[in-house]
């Protein structure tokens, strides 16, 4: 089972890539949509046929009709919804704690260059570390319940938010700082009136990255040790070679990820000034 | 013309050495002295690398000089404290603040009540041609308008001295002439005391009452010129027709010692 790899976090530039917005339906847009539907339906039909014709074993690949049955069963029994709810809570709580605390910590380092200099080697090390590697430790410390998943998500997102907001605060044009100084501004005034607002776009970018990291953290935590949640569902079904249930869980994770990303995307857009 | 003015700013034997007592020791400024009278515009002109920016930072109180001192209204400048307002080539507007909020920045730093500072900013914006743009954000303004806002921000908190460091050099030539004319007019109207640091000799003659020519590194005062052109003839477009303009222009270029491959 391939785990999503977080790898080293590269600090994002303070700009978002602009995706052209679809306005109404152009002829081009409709054509693209038709191709997409044909491709998806074709792929599912081929997959289904390959299983039914016994080209591929169902216990290794699953089967679209079987996945659908699993999804319906999961929704009707409430088990899938319960797992989704648990993973969503772990992700969101961890994300909020980690992102907010991390952003504040990164910004605060601007106020104390000495602390920042002392912590620099640690930050370089954390930046290079695939942060998900910390997960087993955190499970050992926080146990098998939801707390450990929240903690994994919080710690990963804390590191990302801190590094990003610190990097952003260091990128503030020194001429602004000089100008504030010449106006007679205290360091705290400069911080409040220039550094914090100038770093907000970086923080917004970190939030966008972090919702993904928080979910990876929660799910990997569930893989390692849990009694509920979508990660637990996927992992447990995998050990039973119930590939349909695995795919059902992955599908639910995908929907949850899209939903959370859309919400954070809205927040991100509001936080970014032009 | 300036003898009877009260001295607002004085530089006394200012010297600046970087990396003192190391092999990389560089003396940027060997000794510079000058006086700026109330309501006077003083130009500082020098070849590149004459320590203009260093001098600028020293006057603003951002950099303590190695020797000598800067006095503002007779008081020694120890650190940046809002006695000097400056304007650079970069407008340094805060992009998340609207025009009016950028203009009030200096007042806000000083703790002037919001209502009062808004009034000051409003009057400036109305008087100097940005009415209707109060709530526009800098990103939507042209380069010339942005510099205008930066200038108002400088005026708003009525500093003792205004420092201008090549404030027009990033603008296209039309906008530059217009803004120069406006800035001169406003400075005269408000009787501001101004130091203009520039490498543009024509700009210095157009705008200033006196010009201090600085030598290349290490910088020291080479000569001081009194412009002596009547203020009514000082419009950037008119002044170029004055014989005195050309005479000064040639003299100062010669003094800068810049060789042209003819």
């Amino acid at each position: 089972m391939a785990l999503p790899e977080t790898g080293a976090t590269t600090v994002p530039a303070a700009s978002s890539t602009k995706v052209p917005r679809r306005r109404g339906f152009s002829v081009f847009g409709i054509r693209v949509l038709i191709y997409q539907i044909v491709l998806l339906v074709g792929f599912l039909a081929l997959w289904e046929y390959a299983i039914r014709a016994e080209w591929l074993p169902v216990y290794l690949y699953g089967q679209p009709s079987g996945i659908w049955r699993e999804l319906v069963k999961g929704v009707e029994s409430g088990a899938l919804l319960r797992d989704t709810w648990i993973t969503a809570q772990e992700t969101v709580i961890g994300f909020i704690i980690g992102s907010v605390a991390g952003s504040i910590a990164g910004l605060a380092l601007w106020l104390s260059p000495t602390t920042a200099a002392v912590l620099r080697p640690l930050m370089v090390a954390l930046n290079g570390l695939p942060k998900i590697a910390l997960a087993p430790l955190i499970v050992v410390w926080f146990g098998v319940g939801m707390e450990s998943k929240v903690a994994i998500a919080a710690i990963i997102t804390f590191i990302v938010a801190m590094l990003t907001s610190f990097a952003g605060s260091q990128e503030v044009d020194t001429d602004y700082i000089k100008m504030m100084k010449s106006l007679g501004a205290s360091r705290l005034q400069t911080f409040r009136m220039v550094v914090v607002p100038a770093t907000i776009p970086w923080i917004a970018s970190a939030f966008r990255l972090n919702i993904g990291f928080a979910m990876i953290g929660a799910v990997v935590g569930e893989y390692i040790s849990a009694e509920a949640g979508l990660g637990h569902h996927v992992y447990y079904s995998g050990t039973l070679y119930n590939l349909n249930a695995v795919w059902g869980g992955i599908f639910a994770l995908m929907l949850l990820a899209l939903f959370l990303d859309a919400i954070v995307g809205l927040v991100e857009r509001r936080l970014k000034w032009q | 013309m300036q003898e009877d003015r009260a001295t607002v700013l004085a530089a006394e034997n200012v010297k600046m050495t970087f990396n003192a007592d190391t092999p990389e020791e560089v003396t940027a400024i060997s000794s510079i002295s000058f006086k700026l009278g109330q309501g006077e515009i003083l130009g500082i002109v020098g070849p590149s690398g004459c320590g203009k920016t260093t001098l600028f930072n020293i006057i603003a109180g951002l950099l303590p000089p190695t020797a000598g001192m800067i006095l503002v209204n007779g008081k020694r400048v120890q650190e940046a404290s809002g006695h000097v307002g400056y304007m650079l080539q970069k407008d340094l507007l805060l992009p998340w603040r609207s025009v009016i909020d950028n203009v009030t920045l200096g007042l806000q730093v000083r703790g002037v009540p919001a209502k009062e500072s808004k009034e000051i900013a409003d009057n400036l914006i109305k008087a100097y041609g940005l009415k209707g743009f109060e709530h526009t954000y800098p990103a939507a303004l042209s380069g010339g308008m942005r510099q205008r806002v930066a200038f108002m921000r400088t005026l708003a908190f009525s500093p003792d001295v205004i420092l201008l460091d090549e404030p027009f050099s990033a603008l296209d030539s039309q906008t530059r002439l217009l803004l120069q004319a406006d800035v001169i007019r406003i400075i005269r109207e408000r009787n501001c005391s101004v130091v203009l640091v520039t490498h543009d000799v024509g700009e210095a003659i157009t705008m200033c009452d006196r010009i201090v020519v600085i030598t290349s590194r290490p910088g020291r005062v080479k000569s001081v010129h009194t412009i002596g052109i009547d203020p009514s003839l000082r419009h950037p477009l008119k002044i170029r027709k004055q014989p005195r303009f050309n005479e000064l222009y040639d003299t100062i270029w010669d003094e800068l010692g810049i060789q042209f491959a003819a």
Side-chain angles (χ1 to χ4, degrees):
Chain A
M1 194 168 294
L3 295 187
E5 176 56 55
T6 60
T9 315
T10 44
V11 172
S15 69
S16 60
T17 46
K18 275 190 184 151
V19 180
R21 275 205 189 170
R22 231 184 290 160
R23 279 192 195 152
F25 284 102
S26 62
V27 176
F28 177 77
I30 291 172
R31 210 165 60 199
V32 169
L33 187 66
I34 289 172
Y35 288 158
Q36 286 168 334
I37 291 170
V38 168
L39 205 63
L40 180 67
V41 171
F43 174 75
L44 291 177
L46 188 67
W47 182 1
E48 182 72 29
Y49 184 78
I51 301 292
R52 292 196 180 186
E54 297 187 354
W55 297 348
L56 299 169
V58 69
Y59 68 91
L60 282 185
Y61 296 99
Q63 167 180 28
S65 58
I67 296 168
W68 177 249
R69 275 195 302 278
E70 282 292 338
L71 284 172
V72 171
K73 196 177 83 188
V75 171
E76 279 175 351
S77 72
L80 190 63
L81 298 180
R82 205 159 47 238
D83 283 332
T84 305
W85 175 233
I86 284 171
T87 303
Q89 278 178 290
E90 292 162 353
T91 302
V92 170
I93 297 171
F95 164 79
I96 291 174
I97 295 173
S99 299
V100 171
S103 302
I104 292 171
L107 279 170
L109 284 178
W110 184 89
L111 284 173
S112 175
T114 313
T115 315
V118 170
L119 293 182
R120 187 168 291 274
L122 176 68
M123 289 199 278
V124 170
L126 286 177
N127 192 32
L129 178 75
K131 283 156 271 298
I132 199 70
L134 299 170
L137 273 178
I138 301 165
V139 170
V140 170
W141 294 334
F142 289 87
V144 296
M146 271 177 72
E147 297 84 356
S148 61
K149 285 59 170 187
V150 170
I152 294 169
I155 287 170
I156 293 175
T157 54
F158 177 90
I159 294 171
V160 173
M162 183 184 73
L163 292 173
T164 310
S165 69
F166 177 66
S169 73
Q170 297 302 305
E171 285 295 308
V172 178
D173 190 337
T174 49
D175 280 333
Y176 281 111
I177 314 282
K178 266 172 70 176
M179 178 189 72
M180 290 301 284
K181 230 180 179 176
S182 83
L183 290 174
S186 67
R187 201 166 165 78
L188 208 62
Q189 277 180 316
T190 304
F191 180 70
R192 194 163 49 80
M193 292 161 84
V194 174
V195 176
V196 173
T199 309
I200 295 284
W202 291 69
I203 292 176
S205 296
F207 276 29
R208 193 68 185 270
L209 281 176
N210 265 347
I211 190 67
F213 286 138
M215 192 150 163
I216 292 170
V219 170
V220 171
E222 288 168 354
Y223 282 179
I224 295 169
S225 161
E227 283 151 356
L230 284 174
H232 171 258
H233 168 82
V234 167
Y235 185 79
Y236 184 69
S237 306
T239 60
L240 298 177
Y241 289 92
N242 183 356
L243 268 284
N244 289 331
V246 170
W247 281 116
I250 290 172
F251 185 70
L253 276 172
M254 194 176 69
L255 287 185
L256 179 61
L258 286 174
F259 174 70
L260 293 177
D261 186 65
I263 291 177
V264 177
L266 282 178
V267 175
E268 183 195 24
R269 231 166 298 145
R270 294 211 61 172
L271 282 177
K272 282 192 176 173
W273 37 265
Q274 290 296 21
Chain B
M1 183 175 163
Q2 57 282 333
E3 283 74 18
D4 52 344
R5 301 178 202 254
T7 300
V8 176
L9 173 82
E12 288 183 2
N13 304 313
V14 168
K15 179 183 177 179
M16 190 69 222
T17 303
F18 291 105
N19 305 315
D21 305 320
T22 71
E24 292 92 48
E25 182 175 303
V26 180
T27 301
I29 296 172
S30 65
S31 175
I32 288 182
S33 302
F34 61 82
K35 281 193 165 98
L36 173 75
Q38 173 64 48
E40 189 185 18
I41 307 178
L42 180 76
I44 292 180
V45 178
S48 340
C50 70
K52 281 186 301 231
T53 304
T54 305
L55 182 61
F56 181 93
N57 286 337
I58 292 172
I59 298 173
L62 296 169
L63 187 68
T66 313
M69 64 178 104
I70 298 288
L71 300 161
V72 172
N73 288 326
K75 263 176 45 193
R76 185 175 182 171
V77 172
Q78 304 280 13
E79 58 178 354
S81 58
H83 58 281
V84 164
Y86 71 70
M87 181 173 164
L88 309 178
Q89 183 179 331
K90 281 196 271 185
D91 54 66
L92 293 178
L93 298 182
L94 300 175
W96 53 86
R97 284 176 169 243
S98 63
V99 165
I100 189 156
D101 289 339
N102 266 292
V103 174
T104 55
L105 184 72
L107 297 165
Q108 201 188 332
V109 166
R110 294 183 168 194
V112 175
K115 200 173 154 226
E116 198 178 316
S117 54
K118 222 175 129 76
E119 234 176 78
I120 296 172
D122 252 340
N123 288 334
L124 279 170
I125 290 169
K126 280 202 189 95
Y128 301 127
L130 275 174
K131 192 166 156 37
F133 289 96
E134 291 88 343
H135 302 291
T136 308
Y137 285 84
L141 300 176
S142 69
M145 288 162 96
R146 292 170 64 109
Q147 275 302 41
R148 243 169 238 270
V149 177
F151 185 52
M152 285 178 205
R153 175 184 61 203
T154 310
L155 291 176
F157 64 97
S158 332
D160 301 315
V161 178
I162 294 177
L163 278 180
L164 304 177
D165 185 5
E166 313 244 354
F168 310 114
S169 53
L171 303 172
D172 64 80
S173 52
Q174 277 180 30
T175 310
R176 178 197 296 218
L177 288 180
L178 284 173
L179 198 58
Q180 274 177 2
D182 272 2
V183 167
I184 299 172
R185 178 176 61 84
I186 295 166
I187 286 171
R188 300 283 181 210
E189 269 175 25
R190 300 173 69 94
N191 200 29
C192 301
S193 315
V194 176
V195 175
L196 170 70
V197 177
T198 182
H199 62 241
D200 183 334
V201 177
E203 180 172 289
I205 301 171
T206 306
M207 294 188 65
C208 301
D209 299 317
R210 275 190 307 150
I211 294 177
V212 175
V213 180
I214 308 281
T215 63
S216 59
R217 180 176 296 166
R220 59 184 169 75
V221 176
K222 181 159 192 172
S223 60
V224 181
H225 300 271
T226 303
I227 306 299
I229 296 176
D230 190 80
S232 64
L233 300 169
R234 285 300 194 88
H235 191 277
L237 293 174
K238 291 183 198 156
I239 195 168
R240 281 155 208 268
K241 298 189 183 104
Q242 300 288 317
R244 176 72 177 147
F245 180 92
N246 292 317
E247 182 195 322
L248 276 167
Y249 193 85
D250 291 343
T251 313
I252 295 172
W253 267 110
D254 280 348
E255 285 178 1
L256 290 176
I258 294 160
Q259 303 294 316
F260 290 101

